């Protein structure tokens, strides 16, 4: 009994010692990775963060699995031989871990195919929207605009819409009243484009020769009767993906201000009271 107690005490000490060493090793490696990526600039910042997040996740899984196997080996004799010959057990465990394997493989493909990077704004399965905070082997963490942190298994991801893949096109549509002169509207919208190109030219996407690929421009009259309310005009521009949301907001502000200054009314909807037609301007 006394020998068993000593043996347990020894094993308990070994387990605690290994746990502490593993924990310190993970902390040290994470620090080294962080310093390494901070001092390098041969990879884009978002890609560096993505690789760093993946390596941290891989390190945690390897350390955890290794620690569990080590603890089992302390209490099971010839554990290596048993593990090598556990074909049937492996099959059973394999069936039980199908979802885990699926999540890990899906996470590896997310990284390998460069579908997303840390910091990208994405939509998952046409349901969830947010900014990628962490890409792990098993799950993806996305911070929603409300502040909630969404954690979704990689295997559950069926569709990803990424708003930060190199370039984004700002597309702003405005529906103008039938009563407005199309030539006058066109001139006002051209003024909008000139103002946007002057004020936000630094947000536009440029090619290798530092030339703007697609400035703010009137794409055209995209509908003669949009929603049975008026003429629809569309303004587009190709912008840097990181500046997409801010540029879109400013574009709407400038459009609204110029239309107001020029006295151009937006589309109207018709409301009927007792058979009499009454128009109300939609603001």
């Amino acid at each position: 009994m006394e020998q068993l107690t000593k043996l347990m005490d020894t094993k308990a000490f070994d387990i605690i010692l290994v746990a502490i060493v593993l924990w310190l090793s993970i902390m040290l490696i994470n620090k080294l990775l962080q310093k390494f990526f901070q001092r390098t600039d041969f990879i884009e910042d978002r890609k560096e963060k993505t690789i760093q997040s993946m390596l941290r996740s891989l390190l945690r899984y390897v350390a955890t699995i290794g620690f569990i196997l080590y603890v089992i080996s302390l209490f099971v004799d010839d554990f290596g031989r048993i593990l090598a010959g556990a074909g049937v057990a492996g099959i059973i465990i394999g069936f039980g871990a199908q979802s885990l394997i699926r999540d890990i493989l899906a996470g590896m493909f997310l990284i390998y195919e460069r579908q997303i990077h840390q910091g990208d704004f994405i939509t998952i399965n046409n349901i969830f929207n947010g900014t990628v905070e962490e890409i792990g082997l098993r799950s993806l963490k996305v911070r929603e605009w409300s502040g909630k942190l969404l954690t979704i298994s990689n295997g559950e991801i069926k569709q990803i819409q990424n708003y930060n893949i190199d370039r984004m096109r700002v597309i702003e549509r405005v529906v103008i009243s039938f009563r407005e002169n199309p030539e006058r509207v066109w001139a006002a919208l051209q003024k909008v484009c000139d103002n946007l190109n002057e004020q936000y030219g630094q947000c536009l996407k440029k090619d290798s020769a530092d030339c703007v690929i697609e400035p703010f421009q009137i794409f055209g009259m995209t509908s003669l009767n949009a929603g049975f309310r008026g003429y629809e005009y569309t303004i587009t521009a190709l912008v840097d993906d990181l500046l997409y949301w801010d540029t879109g907001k400013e574009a709407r502000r400038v459009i609204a201000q110029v239309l107001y200054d020029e006295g151009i009314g937006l589309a109207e909807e018709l409301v009927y009271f007792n058979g009499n037609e009454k128009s109300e301007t939609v603001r």
Side-chain angles (χ1 to χ4, degrees), residues 16-150:
I16 295 173
L17 180 61
V18 170
I20 294 174
V21 170
L22 279 176
W23 180 75
L24 291 175
S25 299
I26 292 173
M27 294 287 290
L28 178 61
I29 294 174
N30 284 334
K31 283 287 186 182
L32 292 174
L33 285 173
Q34 185 177 1
K35 289 184 178 180
F36 171 77
F37 284 113
Q38 284 177 348
R39 295 181 180 181
T40 57
D41 55 0
F42 57 89
I43 305 177
E44 186 182 344
D45 186 53
R46 281 184 299 169
K47 293 181 180 179
E48 288 184 351
K49 291 181 179 179
T50 302
I51 295 172
Q52 187 177 347
S53 174
M54 195 68 177
L55 289 175
R56 284 201 303 264
S57 177
L58 179 62
L59 183 63
R60 287 198 302 268
Y61 278 105
V62 171
T64 302
I65 294 173
F67 179 72
I68 292 173
L69 294 177
Y70 171 75
V71 172
I72 295 175
S73 68
L74 290 178
F75 296 94
V76 178
D77 294 333
D78 296 329
F79 177 68
R81 188 178 303 172
I82 294 174
L83 188 65
V88 177
I91 294 174
I92 296 173
I93 294 173
F95 277 111
Q98 280 185 356
S99 60
L100 177 62
I101 296 172
R102 181 189 61 178
D103 293 340
I104 292 175
L105 289 176
M108 293 174 65
F109 281 118
L110 281 178
I111 301 299
Y112 178 75
E113 297 177 355
R114 296 182 295 178
Q115 298 179 28
I116 56 175
H117 301 100
Q118 189 170 350
D120 288 353
F121 187 90
I122 63 174
T123 297
I124 300 176
N125 298 341
N126 280 326
I127 300 175
F128 306 107
N129 303 282
T131 303
V132 177
E133 282 207 353
E134 183 177 334
I135 304 173
L137 275 178
R138 197 189 67 82
S139 62
L140 178 69
K141 293 184 179 181
V142 176
R143 180 74 64 178
E144 295 184 336
W145 186 76
S146 62
K148 294 184 294 184
L149 183 64
L150 169 69

Side-chain angles (χ1 to χ4, degrees), residues 155-171:
E156 298 296 326
I157 300 174
K158 306 301 181 184
Q159 183 187 67
I160 296 177
Q161 299 178 36
N162 195 329
Y163 296 86
N164 295 106
I165 296 296
D166 188 41
R167 60 175 67 182
M168 283 292 293
R169 179 171 281 108
V170 172
I171 303 174

